[in-house]
Amino acid sequence: MKKKYILALDQGTTSSRAVLYDHAGKIRAMAQKEFRQFFPRPGWVEQDPMEIYSSQISVAAEVIAQMEIHDNMIAAIGITNQRETTIVWNRNTGKPVYNAIVWQDRRTADYCDQLKKEGFQKTITDKTGLEIDAYFSATKIKWILDNVAGARRAAKNGELAFGTVDSWLMWNLSNGKAHLTDISNASRTMLFNIQTLQWDNELLRIFDIPASMLPEIKPNSTFFTDTSGLIFSSKIPISGVAGDQQAAMFGQMCIHQGMVKNTYGTGCFIMMNTGNKAVRSKNRLLTTVAWQLNGGTTYALEGSVFVGGAVVQWLRDGIKLIKSAPETEKIALSVENSGGIIFVPAFTGLGAPHWDQQARGMIYGITRGTTRGHIVRAALEAIAYQSYDVIKAMEQDAGFFIENLRVDGGAAANNFLMQFQADLLQTKVQRPLVLESTSLGAAYFAGLAVGFWENVEEIENQWQVEKTFTAKRKPEEINKDMAAWHETVARTLQKQGYQL
Ligand code: ADP
């Protein structure tokens, strides 16, 4: 068994990836394939469910071919996926009745506003831990039932199935045998009650969705189904499933209460493990299920920064101030500080804890002495400042301090940024050896279920830090910087205007 591999399928928003992990948790092969995005109208985002599946299968085949192994060398399959994206298909034909409606799709925003006006916010937030938003699956399912000819009738007759992408992949991999999901994906649908840990009948009534459409919910690390023999020649168990951010958190081994991970990608996705308590936020962070393992449920607080690494993209592609993302590290270090420049990249408004959709970006403090280095440095600092604000909001909500921050994602490669983050938070920032936390988490869940790894402790012991950043600057200095940051953020807010 220990000589075998775990195959992790990481079905992301823009690409499908497959990664083969060995018993030491090391990557042995990896393949990635992008697929098409459709934007039929402003604010609409769709994908072709068949292409999601075929791209995922083709990268799985690619890693098996790269390793030159027979697929009976795969001990188990783990699945992680873009969350909330909604697929409805016909149980008899296995064919989708409409394209996948992607989490970014805003077509149901007006309906969400209407629900808020009708006073549903409290009921829905209390039950689901989520804000009423088009982001989550419920209103997307309703849209399909209301707008695809014959869909509602077919649903009432029990002919239609709903699933997030994990369900869709398992349905296909099992040749239509399994209609399942895991608890972390379920908790992003806005139909799942995070207290009772079941689909909620009242929510189903509000959204007018027949219960017969829903998949059965399972814990994250258990036997789900096996491959049917259509694509794989062996029957391989699928035994680990989790939504991408939850999988990343597990891949980072943030398994104790108070541990936090930040994924520095296009945006920053921050999650705090709050143990067996569903902590309610006073700062409009989301409460969500992290995972269910060995009979226990772990909850998390979640907050995102809209523009993280994307500010670096903008420097490169938008104003062409830099040639590549990695060179920002050297440029930032070429100046002693940001020369008084504060950059608030509120390109698409500001999220938690400011919550202002109308806020717009600002580069403040420009003088004759301002250089390219100052602006680049201020852009990187802004990624850390914004993450700081979310993390502090989490600490307030949770009532305890973070011990360390575990990081992954493309921009986590930037040493300047990581050091600056450690200084701001006055805590340790740990960057792991395997930066593919998302697929690693799915592999861990799958491997634990089949005894490939004995227990979580074994994994925790083998999980390795590549580099730890510790705070070097004094708290007084940081407080001064933070005050300047918050003053500038206030200037960008449109909501209340600003006050000095
Ligand atoms: P996503 O999964 O959201 O596409 P990735 O985790 O691949 O994102 O990270 C890519 C983002 O990180 C891009 O926005 C890019 O500008 C930024 N980035 C990549 N490398 C660096 C670097 N060395 N320093 C700063 N930012 C970086």
Side-chain angles (χ1 to χ4, degrees):
M1 171 75 111
K2 309 224 146 118
K3 292 220 174 68
K4 291 189 173 184
Y5 305 93
I6 302 287
L7 172 62
L9 305 180
D10 178 0
Q11 206 302 304
T13 307
T14 55
S15 71
S16 297
R17 297 151 83 91
V19 187
L20 271 182
Y21 285 98
D22 65 14
H23 187 252
K26 294 227 160 64
I27 294 176
R28 300 297 295 271
M30 180 154 74
Q32 178 170 358
K33 192 173 166 116
E34 289 192 9
F35 53 86
R36 288 175 301 167
Q37 310 283 324
F38 302 100
F39 309 101
R41 293 190 200 177
W44 291 30
V45 188
E46 297 181 1
Q47 295 164 358
D48 175 356
M50 299 317 294
E51 205 179 332
I52 290 176
Y53 177 59
S54 63
S55 61
Q56 192 60 73
I57 288 306
S58 78
V59 286
E62 208 175 318
V63 289
I64 292 168
Q66 273 179 36
M67 283 297 289
E68 298 181 39
I69 53 170
H70 188 274
D71 64 15
N72 64 12
M73 285 300 288
I74 296 171
I77 294 175
I79 294 177
T80 180
N81 55 290
Q82 52 169 323
R83 302 176 302 174
E84 298 101 9
T85 296
T86 298
I87 304 174
V88 175
W89 66 92
N90 184 303
R91 289 179 189 278
N92 303 321
T93 63
K95 292 277 176 290
V97 301
Y98 190 77
N99 270 343
I101 303 185
V102 181
W103 56 272
Q104 297 151 324
D105 189 291
R106 306 298 306 166
R107 78 185 65 189
T108 54
D110 288 345
Y111 172 58
C112 288
D113 286 342
Q114 186 192 323
L115 285 171
K116 283 185 217 160
K117 272 201 208 102
E118 288 170 10
F120 284 107
Q121 183 77 69
K122 186 167 170 0
T123 307
I124 292 179
T125 302
D126 283 354
K127 286 179 182 250
T128 65
L130 309 172
E131 296 272 325
I132 296 182
D133 197 279
Y135 189 28
F136 307 106
S137 315
T139 63
K140 300 179 196 293
I141 305 172
K142 180 175 163 52
W143 187 93
I144 292 175
L145 295 182
D146 290 344
N147 289 279
V148 174
R152 186 162 290 282
R153 194 171 11 92
K156 288 228 165 84
N157 292 339
E159 290 162 24
L160 298 191
F162 150 75
T164 38
V165 173
D166 54 309
S167 302
W168 174 243
L169 293 178
M170 281 190 275
W171 171 272
N172 282 290
L173 285 165
S174 68
N175 198 19
K177 206 169 61 187
H179 185 208
L180 304 167
T181 190
D182 82 283
I183 196 161
S184 71
N185 274 297
S187 75
R188 314 297 296 188
T189 56
M190 218 156 74
L191 296 172
F192 178 76
N193 186 316
I194 59 172
Q195 297 299 346
T196 63
L197 301 176
Q198 282 170 354
W199 300 123
D200 189 284
N201 285 328
E202 187 184 353
L203 295 174
L204 288 170
R205 265 199 308 279
I206 293 172
F207 294 108
D208 199 9
I209 295 171
S212 63
M213 291 181 74
L214 301 179
E216 181 193 336
I217 302 165
K218 289 190 160 256
N220 299 86
S221 180
T222 190
F223 177 78
F224 283 77
T225 184
D226 52 39
T227 53
S228 66
L230 276 183
I231 302 283
F232 295 93
S233 58
S234 312
K235 267 194 189 306
I236 309 167
I238 299 172
S239 55
V241 180
D244 54 8
Q245 297 309 318
Q246 282 92 338
M249 185 158 151
F250 196 66
Q252 289 271 26
M253 281 285 106
C254 287
I255 52 173
H256 304 292
Q257 178 175 306
M259 291 180 87
V260 184
K261 72 94 189 167
N262 191 0
T263 301
Y264 295 82
T266 307
C268 296
F269 295 92
I270 302 158
M271 267 189 144
M272 174 189 260
N273 180 327
T274 61
N276 57 14
K277 245 183 37 210
V279 171
R280 302 302 178 151
S281 175
K282 296 199 173 64
N283 299 293
R284 296 180 65 192
L285 300 170
L286 305 178
T287 307
T288 201
V289 175
W291 52 72
Q292 207 173 38
L293 195 63
N294 303 326
T297 305
T298 299
Y299 291 89
L301 276 170
E302 178 176 327
S304 347
V305 168
F306 300 150
V307 174
V311 70
V312 174
Q313 253 164 11
W314 180 77
L315 291 178
R316 189 191 62 194
D317 307 336
I319 58 167
K320 305 196 167 32
L321 198 62
I322 56 168
K323 288 206 179 66
S324 76
E327 74 173 352
T328 54
E329 181 175 330
K330 220 167 113 208
I331 298 172
L333 287 167
S334 71
V335 288
E336 215 164 278
N337 53 46
S338 74
I341 298 292
I342 296 184
F343 189 160
V344 185
F347 301 160
T348 53
L350 285 172
H354 311 289
W355 293 109
D356 188 342
Q357 287 197 51
Q358 260 72 46
R360 287 297 174 266
M362 177 181 278
I363 300 177
Y364 180 75
I366 301 172
T367 66
R368 281 292 289 270
T370 299
T371 64
R372 180 172 85 121
H374 293 138
I375 290 177
V376 169
R377 183 168 173 134
L380 293 178
E381 290 181 357
I383 301 174
Y385 281 131
Q386 295 183 94
S387 299
Y388 172 99
D389 282 341
V390 174
I391 290 166
K392 287 292 148 181
M394 278 179 177
E395 282 184 348
Q396 258 180 26
D397 283 336
F400 45 73
F401 291 105
I402 63 160
E403 292 160 21
N404 67 52
L405 177 69
R406 294 193 167 174
V407 299
D408 56 85
N414 192 304
N415 293 311
F416 165 78
L417 172 59
M418 294 302 104
Q419 183 58 50
F420 193 78
Q421 189 76 81
D423 284 329
L424 283 188
L425 290 166
Q426 296 283 303
T427 187
K428 276 190 295 190
V429 168
Q430 294 184 312
R431 186 168 63 197
L433 203 58
V434 177
L435 272 174
E436 292 291 317
S437 307
T438 309
S439 61
L440 184 59
Y444 283 160
F445 280 131
L448 279 169
V450 296
F452 185 76
W453 289 294
E454 296 295 322
N455 49 39
V456 179
E457 290 70 35
E458 182 189 353
I459 295 176
E460 202 178 13
N461 288 334
Q462 76 173 33
W463 186 88
Q464 277 179 308
V465 173
E466 176 253 329
K467 195 168 160 84
T468 300
F469 300 83
T470 49
K472 296 212 172 93
R473 290 171 67 207
K474 295 202 188 69
E476 307 84 74
E477 254 179 77
I478 303 299
N479 291 342
K480 225 169 95 213
D481 283 359
M482 284 315 304
W485 161 256
H486 286 133
E487 196 180 292
T488 313
V489 168
R491 289 173 194 270
T492 69
L493 297 180
Q494 299 294 313
K495 245 182 353 200
Q496 322 87 320
Y498 69 86
Q499 286 181 328
L500 288 180

